[in-house]
Amino acid sequence: MTIATETGHVTSADGTVIGYHRLGAGPAVVVLHGQMESAHSHRQLAEALAGTHTVYLPDRRGRGLSGPYGAGHGVEREVEDLAAVLTAAHAHWVFGVSVGALVALRAATTLPAVRKVAVYEPPLFADGPAPTDWVARYEREMAAGRVAAALVTAMRAARMGPSIFRAMPRPLLELLTGRMLAAQDGKAGPGDVTMRMLAPTLRQEAALVAELAQSQRNVPADTLLLGGGRSPAYLKAALDALERAIPKARRVEFAGLDHGGSGNTDLGGRPERVADELRHFFT
């Protein structure tokens, strides 16, 4: 059954428009997507929650329904964007994924409106600063129009993708990534946000990770920490550290899932499993 979806927008503190999709009925939950994602990336998760919750799926800046990054973009702008959506939705619950999880955790420390926060694998680095040595190469490849190469650089830096990808010779991996981009471009319809469109956002995402990578400890809200059993070790270590540091935290690991576990099934997610935990938490 197709679930009716409405679109709307709010104006953030600096005047930037933040667009969102809304579906379902019941208490409101705002879902913040991660890097190389858009609001559409958690459509199936929202559908799984729609019977019990009204789900808001904002596009974070720089993609989809939302306006561009401004000068000096950083976490405070991202928190302001979330605050505007929370106000419009009369919402007090947030679920953040990856970089969106970092924003959600920061918001939970600064916005009284956030009473419960669930996060899926925030990219924290317990043992030192976030690695940034890959960014210069990524920038050169993007400037040269080599989007597939730039994505491979970022993916390897984040230790994402199946282990077989990390073992492949780089030229082969770039070739396969280029074919995937071309196939996605060919299938894209009006309003779709493709990986080629998302590739430039990695500049700002890397800056956010560097800004937030070791600063998410004093969270007063009830917190649900989620992760996949097949995810990189540093993401599990991040959840370990958060579990020790946050007074009101509960931890769940999904066997067989990886960093994309909360996303749509076409990219390897199992959104129904994640939605079951969120439904129990957001009551």
Side-chain angles (χ1 to χ4, degrees):
M1 181 179 66
T2 301
I3 298 175
T5 303
E6 299 176 339
T7 60
H9 70 274
V10 295
T11 302
S12 193
D14 71 343
T16 300
V17 170
I18 303 299
Y20 59 80
H21 303 270
R22 180 179 63 234
L23 61 157
V29 178
V30 177
V31 177
L32 284 185
H33 62 75
Q35 66 182 17
M36 290 304 294
E37 292 185 332
S38 68
H40 179 72
S41 301
H42 287 84
R43 167 74 194 202
Q44 292 174 1
L45 178 82
E47 290 175 344
L49 289 171
T52 54
H53 294 78
T54 302
V55 185
Y56 285 74
L57 298 171
D59 276 314
R60 291 174 49 231
R61 290 194 188 208
R63 69 208 87 196
L65 299 174
S66 293
Y69 298 106
H73 182 76
V75 66
E76 298 311 322
R77 286 284 182 264
E78 296 267 352
V79 172
E80 289 170 356
D81 297 348
L82 173 58
V85 178
L86 290 169
T87 298
H90 304 288
H92 301 286
W93 300 337
V94 181
F95 173 49
V97 178
S98 188
V99 177
L102 293 178
V103 176
L105 287 171
R106 172 58 70 86
T109 70
T110 60
L111 299 179
V114 180
R115 299 174 187 169
K116 288 188 176 183
V117 59
V119 294
Y120 195 102
E121 296 187 345
L124 297 167
F125 294 84
D127 299 327
T132 58
D133 54 339
W134 61 274
V135 176
R137 178 172 183 170
Y138 157 87
E139 293 278 8
R140 291 194 301 271
E141 289 164 340
M142 287 295 294
R146 299 178 59 216
V147 177
L151 290 178
V152 169
T153 295
M155 182 180 70
R156 285 194 160 179
R159 288 168 264 176
M160 296 301 173
S163 57
I164 185 64
F165 282 10
R166 296 192 291 275
M168 281 184 183
R170 185 181 173 104
L172 177 58
L173 190 52
E174 289 182 17
L175 176 64
L176 294 175
T177 302
R179 289 178 176 174
M180 179 272 296
L181 290 173
Q184 191 181 59
D185 292 343
K187 296 177 182 178
D192 287 346
V193 181
T194 66
M195 291 186 71
R196 192 181 303 277
M197 296 175 186
L198 291 170
T201 67
L202 286 171
R203 297 180 177 92
Q204 285 76 20
E205 300 287 61
L208 285 172
V209 171
E211 183 178 357
L212 290 169
Q214 293 182 297
S215 61
Q216 308 297 306
R217 299 292 186 268
N218 300 317
V219 179
D222 289 342
T223 304
L224 178 63
L225 305 172
L226 303 176
R230 296 175 57 198
S231 294
Y234 79 93
L235 293 174
K236 295 182 180 183
L239 292 173
D240 290 342
L242 289 172
E243 188 176 15
R244 292 191 297 268
I246 298 175
K248 294 185 286 186
R250 183 169 70 88
R251 172 88 171 271
V252 176
E253 182 173 291
F254 297 100
L257 298 190
D258 59 16
H259 193 57
S262 62
N264 296 336
T265 56
D266 60 330
L267 292 177
R270 293 290 301 275
E272 298 87 355
R273 290 179 63 185
V274 179
D276 285 343
E277 290 293 338
L278 294 177
R279 193 178 299 108
H280 175 73
F281 179 64
F282 290 129
T283 56

